[in-house]
Structure formats: C-alpha cells, structure tokens
Amino acid sequence: MTRWSGGAMRITRRPGAYACGIDAAMDVIGGKWKGLILWALEMRPHRFGELRRELPGVTEKVLTQQLRELEEDGIAHREVYEEVPPRIEYSLTPLGVSLNEAPAPLGQWGRHNVLDDQSADR
C-alpha cells in the first residue's frame, strides 16, 4: 500500500513491524524475482513476455504477482497502449529508480566475491 506524506511517496506494508530501514526495504524487494525484475526494468521498459524470457524459471503467475506488488508500491509503472493488439509495458518509476540504486554495491560485491567476474552486468 502506498500513501503520500509531505509530497513523498511512502510504502506501507506492516506498520510497526519493522526493526530497521533495511528490514522495511527488504520487504519491498524481497523474494526471488523482484531484484531481477528491477534489474531488467532498469535497462529499459519491458513487455510481460520479454520479462518472462529474461527471467528463466519464473512462472506467469509469480511474475504477474510480483509486478502487481511492485506497481502497488509505486516502484513499477504499467503503461497500457491503446493499440490493436493492446500493448502493455512495465517501467520503473522515479521511486523505483532510486530503489534500484541501493543494491548496486551488493551486486558489485557479488560479482567480485561470488562470480569472480567484475565485468558481469548483474
């Protein structure tokens, strides 16, 4: 659930249940697929089928659910184009872009210490 507070969007999931800011942020991006969805949308807007192909192993049901949650939290934007056939694209909102900056050092750490490939994109 999102709510506006002083001009800034605030994401509210479990009021009073967070131990710290990391706990609250992880609630927004938690799960196996949200981080990868954010990574893909950072590159460019995607249609549903494109996201599905870029995320091998994700089911249609789970991808739909994760995209809806990201949209409800104001992280992703769903644009419906009135065309025949209809075209729907997902992109990051400004809030999503700012969120995507947060795990960048974590990705760098993973490339260096786990993948041992500092040139990898993820």
Side-chain angles (χ1 to χ4, degrees):
M1 167 188 286
T2 55
R3 62 187 163 98
W4 293 92
S5 173
M9 185 175 287
R10 305 235 349 157
I11 299 166
T12 307
R13 291 282 192 125
R14 299 175 291 152
Y18 297 119
C20 65
I22 292 174
D23 185 25
M26 292 305 293
D27 188 37
V28 175
I29 63 167
K32 181 176 180 177
W33 301 106
K34 285 185 181 175
L36 294 173
I37 293 168
L38 289 172
W39 173 81
L41 294 180
E42 169 119 349
M43 302 301 159
R44 62 178 174 77
H46 281 71
R47 294 175 76 170
F48 184 87
E50 292 174 317
L51 281 172
R52 184 114 191 265
R53 285 188 295 276
E54 284 196 29
L55 306 174
V58 69
T59 65
E60 189 171 320
K61 177 183 176 183
V62 169
L63 182 56
T64 299
Q65 176 187 5
Q66 300 286 278
L67 285 168
R68 282 185 184 150
E69 288 177 10
L70 289 169
E71 188 179 0
E72 288 171 5
D73 287 336
I75 304 300
H77 173 70
R78 181 178 185 264
E79 182 76 29
V80 179
Y81 295 90
E82 299 298 328
E83 300 174 351
V84 178
R87 177 172 51 112
I88 300 170
E89 287 185 345
Y90 295 90
S91 61
L92 291 179
T93 64
L95 186 63
V97 171
S98 71
L99 175 62
N100 229 5
E101 294 169 1
L106 187 60
Q108 183 178 9
W109 184 92
R111 283 190 303 275
H112 181 73
N113 294 291
V114 178
L115 297 177
D116 197 30
D117 179 8
Q118 296 182 22
S119 64
D121 290 346
R122 293 184 199 191

